[in-house]
Amino acid sequence: MSTAWLDELRWTGDGLVPVIAQEASSGQVLMFAWMNREALALTVTEGYAVYWSRSRQKLWRKGEESGHRQKVMEIRLDCDEDVVLLKVEQAGGIACHTGRHHCFFRVLRDGAWVTVDPVLKDPEAIYR
């Protein structure tokens, strides 16, 4: 398959694109991450989410340590061609490294961030 479609994205100056992972079945936004060209191409080829870790400066396959992989059902590009949306099936029901279903577990209430979603599995038990 040609990779010319990658040229249609508006990559940041450091060669990245923001990516939102959304649970296909519920519509719940699970997480936000970054991809470079290689990560997006690998995601398409492998059928599972591959991201770019800015802190570690390397590719990471979602779930490579935890087993909480994201099977990609659909990939969408926004109207400005600068944000990717992945519709995924989340293995194990946990997308966040904190052991929660999704990464957006805090709500701003009365000027303070309040945790509103429970830890489903202790991160110490997830990551070795």
Side-chain angles (χ1 to χ4, degrees):
M1 171 170 58
S2 167
T3 58
W5 56 272
L6 286 166
D7 296 332
E8 294 183 43
L9 280 80
R10 295 178 192 256
W11 303 93
T12 64
D14 49 358
L16 301 175
V17 66
V19 180
I20 298 165
Q22 179 184 43
E23 191 168 46
S25 61
S26 70
Q28 172 80 54
V29 174
L30 298 174
M31 58 177 277
F32 168 84
W34 296 91
M35 286 183 176
N36 63 9
R37 290 175 70 94
E38 183 181 9
L40 185 51
L42 285 168
T43 295
V44 169
T45 301
E46 297 176 5
Y48 288 88
V50 179
Y51 299 107
W52 175 256
S53 171
R54 293 183 307 161
S55 60
R56 293 177 285 167
Q57 290 292 295
K58 69 176 200 168
L59 293 172
W60 61 281
R61 286 167 170 78
K62 178 67 176 160
E64 63 191 352
E65 289 182 39
S66 66
H68 299 142
R69 299 175 74 194
Q70 292 176 338
K71 182 178 173 129
V72 177
M73 309 309 291
E74 185 175 64
I75 301 175
R76 292 182 175 232
L77 182 61
D78 80 322
C79 58
D80 294 324
E81 302 169 337
D82 61 359
V83 178
V84 171
L85 173 68
L86 299 182
K87 292 193 175 196
V88 303
E89 284 182 1
Q90 179 63 57
I94 297 174
C96 185
H97 74 282
T98 66
R100 291 178 173 86
H101 178 62
H102 57 87
C103 296
F104 299 95
F105 55 87
R106 294 183 202 134
V107 174
L108 186 61
R109 291 190 180 148
D110 299 321
W113 292 108
V114 178
T115 299
V116 295
D117 292 302
V119 172
L120 302 176
K121 189 170 185 180
D122 182 351
E124 295 290 325
I126 297 172
Y127 301 100
R128 304 159 220 21

